[in-house]
Short mmCIF file of all heavy atoms in Angstrom, two decimals:
data_model
loop_
_atom_site.label_atom_id
_atom_site.label_comp_id
_atom_site.label_asym_id
_atom_site.label_seq_id
_atom_site.Cartn_x
_atom_site.Cartn_y
_atom_site.Cartn_z
N MET A 26 97.02 124.06 167.35
CA MET A 26 98.42 124.23 167.63
C MET A 26 98.94 123.21 168.64
O MET A 26 100.06 122.74 168.56
CB MET A 26 98.69 125.65 168.15
CG MET A 26 98.61 126.71 167.08
SD MET A 26 98.36 128.37 167.75
CE MET A 26 100.04 128.84 168.14
N VAL A 27 98.07 122.87 169.61
CA VAL A 27 98.47 121.87 170.63
C VAL A 27 98.49 120.48 169.97
O VAL A 27 99.45 119.71 170.16
CB VAL A 27 97.49 121.89 171.82
CG1 VAL A 27 97.71 120.71 172.77
CG2 VAL A 27 97.60 123.21 172.57
N ALA A 28 97.45 120.17 169.18
CA ALA A 28 97.41 118.84 168.55
C ALA A 28 98.54 118.61 167.59
O ALA A 28 99.03 117.53 167.41
CB ALA A 28 96.08 118.68 167.83
N GLU A 29 98.98 119.70 166.95
CA GLU A 29 100.09 119.58 165.98
C GLU A 29 101.48 119.72 166.62
O GLU A 29 102.50 119.64 165.93
CB GLU A 29 99.93 120.67 164.89
CG GLU A 29 98.81 120.35 163.91
CD GLU A 29 98.41 121.57 163.07
OE1 GLU A 29 99.13 122.59 163.12
OE2 GLU A 29 97.39 121.50 162.39
N GLY A 30 101.48 119.91 167.90
CA GLY A 30 102.76 119.96 168.63
C GLY A 30 103.48 121.30 168.57
O GLY A 30 104.65 121.39 168.90
N GLN A 31 102.77 122.35 168.11
CA GLN A 31 103.41 123.69 168.06
C GLN A 31 103.47 124.32 169.44
O GLN A 31 104.31 125.15 169.71
CB GLN A 31 102.64 124.60 167.11
CG GLN A 31 102.78 124.22 165.66
CD GLN A 31 101.79 124.97 164.79
OE1 GLN A 31 101.48 126.12 165.07
NE2 GLN A 31 101.36 124.37 163.72
N ILE A 32 102.57 123.89 170.31
CA ILE A 32 102.59 124.33 171.71
C ILE A 32 102.69 123.05 172.53
O ILE A 32 101.93 122.14 172.37
CB ILE A 32 101.29 125.12 172.08
CG1 ILE A 32 101.34 126.48 171.41
CG2 ILE A 32 101.17 125.27 173.60
CD1 ILE A 32 100.14 127.36 171.69
N THR A 33 103.71 123.02 173.38
CA THR A 33 103.98 121.77 174.09
C THR A 33 103.84 121.93 175.61
O THR A 33 103.99 120.96 176.35
CB THR A 33 105.35 121.23 173.77
OG1 THR A 33 106.30 122.26 173.99
CG2 THR A 33 105.44 120.74 172.34
N ASN A 34 103.62 123.13 176.10
CA ASN A 34 103.36 123.24 177.53
C ASN A 34 102.39 124.39 177.86
O ASN A 34 102.24 125.37 177.12
CB ASN A 34 104.65 123.32 178.34
CG ASN A 34 105.40 124.61 178.22
OD1 ASN A 34 104.89 125.65 178.70
ND2 ASN A 34 106.55 124.59 177.57
N LEU A 35 101.72 124.18 178.99
CA LEU A 35 100.67 125.13 179.40
C LEU A 35 101.19 126.52 179.72
O LEU A 35 100.50 127.49 179.58
CB LEU A 35 99.96 124.57 180.62
CG LEU A 35 98.88 123.52 180.39
CD1 LEU A 35 98.46 122.88 181.68
CD2 LEU A 35 97.68 124.17 179.70
N ASN A 36 102.43 126.55 180.13
CA ASN A 36 103.06 127.83 180.46
C ASN A 36 103.00 128.81 179.30
O ASN A 36 102.72 129.98 179.49
CB ASN A 36 104.54 127.53 180.85
CG ASN A 36 105.05 128.59 181.80
OD1 ASN A 36 104.31 129.45 182.25
ND2 ASN A 36 106.33 128.49 182.09
N GLU A 37 103.23 128.27 178.11
CA GLU A 37 103.17 129.11 176.88
C GLU A 37 101.76 129.71 176.72
O GLU A 37 101.62 130.89 176.35
CB GLU A 37 103.45 128.28 175.64
CG GLU A 37 104.89 127.95 175.42
CD GLU A 37 105.05 127.03 174.21
OE1 GLU A 37 104.75 127.49 173.07
OE2 GLU A 37 105.45 125.86 174.38
N ILE A 38 100.76 128.87 176.99
CA ILE A 38 99.38 129.32 176.83
C ILE A 38 99.03 130.46 177.80
O ILE A 38 98.49 131.49 177.42
CB ILE A 38 98.42 128.13 177.01
CG1 ILE A 38 98.63 127.16 175.84
CG2 ILE A 38 96.97 128.59 177.14
CD1 ILE A 38 97.77 125.89 175.94
N PHE A 39 99.46 130.27 179.07
CA PHE A 39 99.10 131.28 180.07
C PHE A 39 99.96 132.54 179.93
O PHE A 39 99.46 133.64 180.15
CB PHE A 39 99.19 130.68 181.49
CG PHE A 39 98.09 129.75 181.76
CD1 PHE A 39 98.23 128.39 181.77
CD2 PHE A 39 96.78 130.23 182.00
CE1 PHE A 39 97.19 127.50 182.02
CE2 PHE A 39 95.70 129.38 182.26
CZ PHE A 39 95.94 128.02 182.23
N SER A 40 101.22 132.37 179.55
CA SER A 40 102.04 133.56 179.43
C SER A 40 101.65 134.39 178.20
O SER A 40 101.84 135.61 178.19
CB SER A 40 103.56 133.21 179.36
OG SER A 40 103.78 132.43 178.22
N GLN A 41 101.02 133.76 177.20
CA GLN A 41 100.54 134.49 176.04
C GLN A 41 99.11 135.03 176.23
O GLN A 41 98.60 135.75 175.41
CB GLN A 41 100.50 133.59 174.78
CG GLN A 41 101.88 133.05 174.38
CD GLN A 41 102.75 134.10 173.76
OE1 GLN A 41 102.29 134.93 173.01
NE2 GLN A 41 104.01 134.09 174.14
N GLY A 42 98.49 134.57 177.31
CA GLY A 42 97.12 135.00 177.61
C GLY A 42 96.06 134.37 176.70
O GLY A 42 94.97 134.95 176.56
N TYR A 43 96.36 133.18 176.16
CA TYR A 43 95.37 132.51 175.33
C TYR A 43 94.23 131.97 176.23
O TYR A 43 94.47 131.63 177.37
CB TYR A 43 96.00 131.30 174.62
CG TYR A 43 96.95 131.64 173.52
CD1 TYR A 43 98.20 130.98 173.47
CD2 TYR A 43 96.64 132.56 172.50
CE1 TYR A 43 99.12 131.25 172.47
CE2 TYR A 43 97.53 132.82 171.51
CZ TYR A 43 98.78 132.19 171.46
OH TYR A 43 99.66 132.43 170.48
N LYS A 44 93.04 131.85 175.66
CA LYS A 44 91.94 131.28 176.42
C LYS A 44 91.75 129.84 175.99
O LYS A 44 91.64 129.53 174.80
CB LYS A 44 90.69 132.09 176.16
CG LYS A 44 89.51 131.63 176.95
CD LYS A 44 88.58 132.75 177.35
CE LYS A 44 87.32 132.28 178.04
NZ LYS A 44 87.58 131.37 179.18
N ILE A 45 91.67 128.96 176.94
CA ILE A 45 91.45 127.52 176.68
C ILE A 45 89.97 127.27 176.50
O ILE A 45 89.19 127.47 177.43
CB ILE A 45 92.05 126.64 177.80
CG1 ILE A 45 93.56 126.86 177.91
CG2 ILE A 45 91.73 125.16 177.60
CD1 ILE A 45 94.20 126.17 179.09
N GLN A 46 89.59 126.82 175.32
CA GLN A 46 88.16 126.56 175.05
C GLN A 46 87.85 125.09 174.81
O GLN A 46 86.73 124.72 174.56
CB GLN A 46 87.68 127.38 173.85
CG GLN A 46 87.64 128.87 174.16
CD GLN A 46 87.39 129.72 172.95
OE1 GLN A 46 88.12 129.64 171.98
NE2 GLN A 46 86.35 130.51 173.04
N GLU A 47 88.90 124.24 174.85
CA GLU A 47 88.70 122.82 174.68
C GLU A 47 89.41 122.08 175.80
O GLU A 47 90.60 122.29 176.04
CB GLU A 47 89.31 122.36 173.32
CG GLU A 47 88.62 122.99 172.12
CD GLU A 47 89.27 122.59 170.81
OE1 GLU A 47 88.96 121.51 170.34
OE2 GLU A 47 90.14 123.33 170.32
N PRO A 48 88.68 121.20 176.52
CA PRO A 48 89.27 120.49 177.67
C PRO A 48 90.42 119.60 177.24
O PRO A 48 91.35 119.36 178.03
CB PRO A 48 88.11 119.67 178.25
CG PRO A 48 87.08 119.60 177.18
CD PRO A 48 87.25 120.84 176.36
N GLU A 49 90.41 119.15 176.01
CA GLU A 49 91.46 118.25 175.50
C GLU A 49 92.84 118.93 175.54
O GLU A 49 93.86 118.24 175.68
CB GLU A 49 91.18 117.78 174.09
CG GLU A 49 89.97 116.89 173.93
CD GLU A 49 88.64 117.67 173.76
OE1 GLU A 49 88.65 118.91 173.95
OE2 GLU A 49 87.63 117.03 173.48
N ILE A 50 92.89 120.26 175.45
CA ILE A 50 94.14 120.97 175.49
C ILE A 50 94.83 120.65 176.83
O ILE A 50 96.01 120.36 176.91
CB ILE A 50 93.93 122.49 175.32
CG1 ILE A 50 93.47 122.78 173.87
CG2 ILE A 50 95.18 123.32 175.67
CD1 ILE A 50 93.01 124.20 173.66
N VAL A 51 94.01 120.69 177.90
CA VAL A 51 94.52 120.41 179.26
C VAL A 51 94.87 118.93 179.38
O VAL A 51 95.90 118.59 179.97
CB VAL A 51 93.50 120.86 180.30
CG1 VAL A 51 93.95 120.50 181.70
CG2 VAL A 51 93.25 122.39 180.17
N GLU A 52 94.03 118.08 178.82
CA GLU A 52 94.29 116.62 178.90
C GLU A 52 95.59 116.26 178.20
O GLU A 52 96.35 115.40 178.69
CB GLU A 52 93.11 115.83 178.27
CG GLU A 52 91.82 115.95 179.10
CD GLU A 52 90.58 115.58 178.32
OE1 GLU A 52 90.70 115.03 177.19
OE2 GLU A 52 89.47 115.83 178.83
N VAL A 53 95.88 116.91 177.10
CA VAL A 53 97.12 116.60 176.38
C VAL A 53 98.36 117.14 177.08
O VAL A 53 99.36 116.47 177.25
CB VAL A 53 97.04 117.19 174.91
CG1 VAL A 53 98.40 117.14 174.22
CG2 VAL A 53 96.00 116.43 174.11
N LEU A 54 98.24 118.40 177.53
CA LEU A 54 99.42 119.05 178.09
C LEU A 54 99.67 118.80 179.55
O LEU A 54 100.74 119.11 180.09
CB LEU A 54 99.34 120.56 177.83
CG LEU A 54 99.32 121.00 176.35
CD1 LEU A 54 99.23 122.51 176.27
CD2 LEU A 54 100.53 120.48 175.59
N LEU A 55 98.66 118.24 180.23
CA LEU A 55 98.78 118.02 181.65
C LEU A 55 98.36 116.58 182.01
O LEU A 55 97.36 116.38 182.64
CB LEU A 55 97.96 119.03 182.41
CG LEU A 55 98.48 119.59 183.75
CD1 LEU A 55 99.89 120.12 183.67
CD2 LEU A 55 97.57 120.63 184.30
N PRO A 56 99.12 115.59 181.54
CA PRO A 56 98.71 114.22 181.86
C PRO A 56 98.82 113.98 183.37
O PRO A 56 99.60 114.61 184.08
CB PRO A 56 99.70 113.35 181.09
CG PRO A 56 100.83 114.24 180.72
CD PRO A 56 100.34 115.67 180.77
N GLY A 57 98.06 113.05 183.86
CA GLY A 57 98.07 112.75 185.30
C GLY A 57 97.28 113.74 186.11
O GLY A 57 97.49 113.87 187.32
N LEU A 58 96.39 114.45 185.43
CA LEU A 58 95.52 115.41 186.12
C LEU A 58 94.59 114.65 187.07
O LEU A 58 93.98 113.67 186.65
CB LEU A 58 94.72 116.19 185.09
CG LEU A 58 94.11 117.50 185.49
CD1 LEU A 58 95.20 118.52 185.73
CD2 LEU A 58 93.19 117.97 184.41
N GLN A 59 94.46 115.12 188.28
CA GLN A 59 93.55 114.45 189.25
C GLN A 59 92.24 115.23 189.29
O GLN A 59 92.24 116.43 189.12
CB GLN A 59 94.16 114.43 190.63
CG GLN A 59 95.51 113.73 190.73
CD GLN A 59 96.22 114.15 192.03
OE1 GLN A 59 95.68 114.10 193.08
NE2 GLN A 59 97.46 114.55 191.88
N GLU A 60 91.18 114.48 189.57
CA GLU A 60 89.83 115.11 189.69
C GLU A 60 89.27 114.79 191.09
O GLU A 60 89.42 113.69 191.56
CB GLU A 60 88.89 114.51 188.63
CG GLU A 60 89.39 114.71 187.22
CD GLU A 60 88.59 113.87 186.23
OE1 GLU A 60 87.55 113.32 186.62
OE2 GLU A 60 89.01 113.82 185.05
N GLU A 61 88.65 115.77 191.67
CA GLU A 61 87.98 115.57 192.98
C GLU A 61 86.62 116.22 192.94
O GLU A 61 86.50 117.39 192.61
CB GLU A 61 88.82 116.21 194.08
CG GLU A 61 90.11 115.53 194.38
CD GLU A 61 90.07 114.37 195.32
OE1 GLU A 61 88.92 114.05 195.80
OE2 GLU A 61 91.11 113.78 195.59
N VAL A 62 85.60 115.45 193.29
CA VAL A 62 84.27 116.01 193.39
C VAL A 62 84.16 116.74 194.75
O VAL A 62 84.29 116.12 195.79
CB VAL A 62 83.17 114.92 193.26
CG1 VAL A 62 81.80 115.57 193.38
CG2 VAL A 62 83.30 114.22 191.93
N ILE A 63 83.98 118.02 194.70
CA ILE A 63 83.92 118.82 195.89
C ILE A 63 82.52 118.74 196.55
O ILE A 63 82.41 118.66 197.78
CB ILE A 63 84.23 120.32 195.59
CG1 ILE A 63 85.64 120.48 195.01
CG2 ILE A 63 84.06 121.22 196.81
CD1 ILE A 63 86.78 120.19 195.95
N ASN A 64 81.49 118.75 195.71
CA ASN A 64 80.16 118.79 196.26
C ASN A 64 79.11 118.39 195.18
O ASN A 64 79.30 118.83 194.04
CB ASN A 64 79.87 120.20 196.79
CG ASN A 64 78.55 120.31 197.54
OD1 ASN A 64 78.19 119.43 198.28
ND2 ASN A 64 77.84 121.41 197.34
N VAL A 65 78.10 117.67 195.55
CA VAL A 65 76.95 117.42 194.66
C VAL A 65 75.68 117.78 195.41
O VAL A 65 75.51 117.36 196.54
CB VAL A 65 76.88 115.96 194.17
CG1 VAL A 65 75.69 115.75 193.26
CG2 VAL A 65 78.16 115.53 193.45
N GLN A 66 74.87 118.57 194.76
CA GLN A 66 73.69 119.09 195.43
C GLN A 66 72.49 118.93 194.53
O GLN A 66 72.58 119.08 193.31
CB GLN A 66 73.94 120.58 195.63
CG GLN A 66 73.26 121.21 196.80
CD GLN A 66 73.50 122.73 196.82
OE1 GLN A 66 74.45 123.22 196.26
NE2 GLN A 66 72.61 123.44 197.46
N LEU A 67 71.34 118.62 195.12
CA LEU A 67 70.11 118.55 194.33
C LEU A 67 69.48 119.90 194.28
O LEU A 67 69.27 120.54 195.32
CB LEU A 67 69.16 117.54 194.97
CG LEU A 67 67.83 117.28 194.20
CD1 LEU A 67 68.07 116.61 192.87
CD2 LEU A 67 66.90 116.48 195.07
N VAL A 68 69.24 120.40 193.06
CA VAL A 68 68.69 121.75 192.93
C VAL A 68 67.29 121.64 192.35
O VAL A 68 67.08 121.07 191.28
CB VAL A 68 69.54 122.63 191.97
CG1 VAL A 68 68.99 124.07 191.92
CG2 VAL A 68 70.99 122.61 192.43
N GLN A 69 66.29 122.15 193.08
CA GLN A 69 64.91 122.08 192.59
C GLN A 69 64.41 123.43 192.22
O GLN A 69 64.70 124.43 192.86
CB GLN A 69 64.01 121.44 193.66
CG GLN A 69 64.13 119.95 193.63
CD GLN A 69 63.49 119.27 194.80
OE1 GLN A 69 63.54 119.76 195.92
NE2 GLN A 69 62.87 118.11 194.57
N LYS A 70 63.76 123.45 191.08
CA LYS A 70 63.32 124.72 190.54
C LYS A 70 61.86 124.61 190.12
O LYS A 70 61.50 123.65 189.43
CB LYS A 70 64.20 125.08 189.35
CG LYS A 70 64.28 126.52 189.01
CD LYS A 70 65.40 126.72 188.04
CE LYS A 70 65.06 127.70 186.96
NZ LYS A 70 66.08 127.83 185.96
N GLN A 71 61.07 125.61 190.47
CA GLN A 71 59.64 125.62 190.10
C GLN A 71 59.54 126.29 188.71
O GLN A 71 59.97 127.41 188.52
CB GLN A 71 58.89 126.40 191.13
CG GLN A 71 57.42 125.98 191.29
CD GLN A 71 57.33 124.57 191.88
OE1 GLN A 71 58.06 124.20 192.78
NE2 GLN A 71 56.41 123.75 191.36
N THR A 72 59.01 125.55 187.73
CA THR A 72 58.81 126.16 186.42
C THR A 72 57.36 126.07 186.03
O THR A 72 56.56 125.45 186.76
CB THR A 72 59.64 125.43 185.35
OG1 THR A 72 59.13 124.12 185.22
CG2 THR A 72 61.10 125.39 185.68
N ASP A 73 56.94 126.66 184.90
CA ASP A 73 55.57 126.58 184.41
C ASP A 73 55.12 125.14 184.23
O ASP A 73 53.99 124.79 184.43
CB ASP A 73 55.43 127.32 183.09
CG ASP A 73 55.68 128.82 183.27
OD1 ASP A 73 55.58 129.28 184.44
OD2 ASP A 73 55.96 129.50 182.25
N ALA A 74 56.08 124.31 183.84
CA ALA A 74 55.78 122.91 183.56
C ALA A 74 55.80 122.03 184.80
O ALA A 74 55.61 120.83 184.73
CB ALA A 74 56.78 122.33 182.53
N GLY A 75 56.02 122.66 185.96
CA GLY A 75 56.08 121.90 187.20
C GLY A 75 57.42 122.00 187.82
O GLY A 75 58.23 122.87 187.50
N GLU A 76 57.72 121.06 188.71
CA GLU A 76 59.01 121.13 189.38
C GLU A 76 60.07 120.42 188.60
O GLU A 76 59.85 119.31 188.06
CB GLU A 76 58.85 120.48 190.77
CG GLU A 76 59.88 120.91 191.75
CD GLU A 76 59.60 120.36 193.12
OE1 GLU A 76 59.76 119.14 193.31
OE2 GLU A 76 59.21 121.14 194.00
N ARG A 77 61.20 121.04 188.52
CA ARG A 77 62.29 120.45 187.77
C ARG A 77 63.48 120.27 188.72
O ARG A 77 63.85 121.25 189.39
CB ARG A 77 62.69 121.38 186.63
CG ARG A 77 63.49 120.72 185.55
CD ARG A 77 63.68 121.67 184.42
NE ARG A 77 64.48 122.82 184.85
CZ ARG A 77 65.31 123.46 184.08
NH1 ARG A 77 65.50 123.07 182.84
NH2 ARG A 77 65.98 124.49 184.51
N SER A 78 64.02 119.08 188.80
CA SER A 78 65.14 118.90 189.67
C SER A 78 66.38 118.46 188.91
O SER A 78 66.29 117.64 188.00
CB SER A 78 64.85 117.95 190.79
OG SER A 78 64.42 116.72 190.31
N ARG A 79 67.48 119.07 189.29
CA ARG A 79 68.75 118.74 188.63
C ARG A 79 69.84 118.64 189.69
O ARG A 79 69.70 119.15 190.81
CB ARG A 79 69.12 119.85 187.63
CG ARG A 79 68.20 119.86 186.46
CD ARG A 79 68.81 120.49 185.26
NE ARG A 79 69.17 121.87 185.43
CZ ARG A 79 69.89 122.55 184.52
NH1 ARG A 79 70.27 121.98 183.41
NH2 ARG A 79 70.19 123.83 184.71
N PHE A 80 70.91 118.01 189.34
CA PHE A 80 72.06 117.95 190.23
C PHE A 80 73.11 118.98 189.81
O PHE A 80 73.30 119.21 188.64
CB PHE A 80 72.68 116.54 190.21
CG PHE A 80 71.81 115.49 190.86
CD1 PHE A 80 70.98 114.68 190.09
CD2 PHE A 80 71.77 115.39 192.23
CE1 PHE A 80 70.14 113.77 190.68
CE2 PHE A 80 70.94 114.43 192.83
CZ PHE A 80 70.14 113.64 192.09
N LYS A 81 73.70 119.59 190.83
CA LYS A 81 74.76 120.55 190.61
C LYS A 81 76.02 119.97 191.22
O LYS A 81 76.06 119.73 192.41
CB LYS A 81 74.37 121.87 191.25
CG LYS A 81 75.35 122.99 191.08
CD LYS A 81 74.88 124.20 191.81
CE LYS A 81 76.00 125.24 191.96
NZ LYS A 81 75.59 126.38 192.81
N ALA A 82 77.02 119.78 190.40
CA ALA A 82 78.28 119.21 190.89
C ALA A 82 79.41 120.25 190.78
O ALA A 82 79.51 120.95 189.79
CB ALA A 82 78.67 117.97 190.11
N ILE A 83 80.20 120.32 191.85
CA ILE A 83 81.38 121.15 191.80
C ILE A 83 82.58 120.26 191.79
O ILE A 83 82.71 119.35 192.63
CB ILE A 83 81.45 122.11 193.02
CG1 ILE A 83 80.23 123.05 193.02
CG2 ILE A 83 82.73 122.92 193.07
CD1 ILE A 83 80.05 123.86 194.21
N VAL A 84 83.41 120.43 190.79
CA VAL A 84 84.56 119.52 190.60
C VAL A 84 85.88 120.34 190.54
O VAL A 84 85.91 121.40 189.91
CB VAL A 84 84.42 118.72 189.29
CG1 VAL A 84 85.57 117.74 189.10
CG2 VAL A 84 83.07 117.96 189.28
N ALA A 85 86.88 119.83 191.20
CA ALA A 85 88.21 120.47 191.15
C ALA A 85 89.16 119.55 190.41
O ALA A 85 89.08 118.32 190.52
CB ALA A 85 88.74 120.73 192.55
N VAL A 86 90.03 120.11 189.60
CA VAL A 86 91.08 119.34 188.96
C VAL A 86 92.43 120.00 189.28
O VAL A 86 92.50 121.17 189.57
CB VAL A 86 90.92 119.26 187.41
CG1 VAL A 86 89.61 118.60 187.02
CG2 VAL A 86 91.03 120.65 186.77
N GLY A 87 93.48 119.21 189.23
CA GLY A 87 94.80 119.75 189.46
C GLY A 87 95.89 118.71 189.27
O GLY A 87 95.58 117.52 189.26
N ASN A 88 97.12 119.16 189.06
CA ASN A 88 98.20 118.19 188.87
C ASN A 88 99.07 118.07 190.14
O ASN A 88 100.08 117.39 190.09
CB ASN A 88 99.06 118.61 187.65
CG ASN A 88 99.87 119.88 187.88
OD1 ASN A 88 99.53 120.67 188.78
ND2 ASN A 88 100.91 120.08 187.12
N GLY A 89 98.66 118.73 191.21
CA GLY A 89 99.43 118.66 192.45
C GLY A 89 100.78 119.36 192.30
O GLY A 89 101.64 119.17 193.17
N ASP A 90 100.90 120.19 191.29
CA ASP A 90 102.21 120.81 191.02
C ASP A 90 102.05 122.15 190.29
O ASP A 90 102.69 122.37 189.29
CB ASP A 90 103.05 119.85 190.21
CG ASP A 90 104.53 120.23 190.22
OD1 ASP A 90 104.95 121.04 191.08
OD2 ASP A 90 105.27 119.74 189.35
N GLY A 91 101.17 122.99 190.82
CA GLY A 91 101.12 124.35 190.27
C GLY A 91 99.98 124.67 189.33
O GLY A 91 99.91 125.79 188.80
N TYR A 92 99.11 123.69 189.07
CA TYR A 92 97.93 123.98 188.24
C TYR A 92 96.67 123.45 188.92
O TYR A 92 96.63 122.32 189.38
CB TYR A 92 98.05 123.34 186.85
CG TYR A 92 98.99 124.05 185.92
CD1 TYR A 92 100.26 123.55 185.71
CD2 TYR A 92 98.61 125.21 185.29
CE1 TYR A 92 101.13 124.22 184.85
CE2 TYR A 92 99.48 125.89 184.45
CZ TYR A 92 100.76 125.38 184.22
OH TYR A 92 101.60 126.04 183.39
N VAL A 93 95.63 124.31 188.94
CA VAL A 93 94.37 123.91 189.57
C VAL A 93 93.21 124.53 188.79
O VAL A 93 93.35 125.63 188.21
CB VAL A 93 94.33 124.27 191.09
CG1 VAL A 93 94.22 125.78 191.30
CG2 VAL A 93 93.21 123.56 191.81
#
Side-chain angles (χ1 to χ4, degrees):
M26 285 161 84
V27 171
E29 286 165 10
Q31 289 170 33
I32 288 180
T33 52
N34 73 68
L35 278 169
N36 208 5
E37 284 177 65
I38 292 178
F39 287 104
S40 62
Q41 298 288 320
Y43 290 132
K44 183 147 175 52
I45 298 174
Q46 290 171 304
E47 297 177 84
E49 292 87 349
I50 292 171
V51 175
E52 291 162 12
V53 168
L54 298 180
L55 216 52
L58 199 68
Q59 303 161 50
E60 303 168 8
E61 291 275 0
V62 179
I63 299 291
N64 188 39
V65 179
Q66 208 185 337
L67 183 67
V68 184
Q69 278 169 324
K70 204 167 138 186
Q71 209 67 40
T72 65
D73 294 341
E76 202 173 71
R77 198 174 63 147
S78 56
R79 292 204 297 173
F80 290 98
K81 180 182 165 187
I83 298 172
V84 182
V86 299
N88 69 340
D90 195 17
Y92 283 102
V93 71

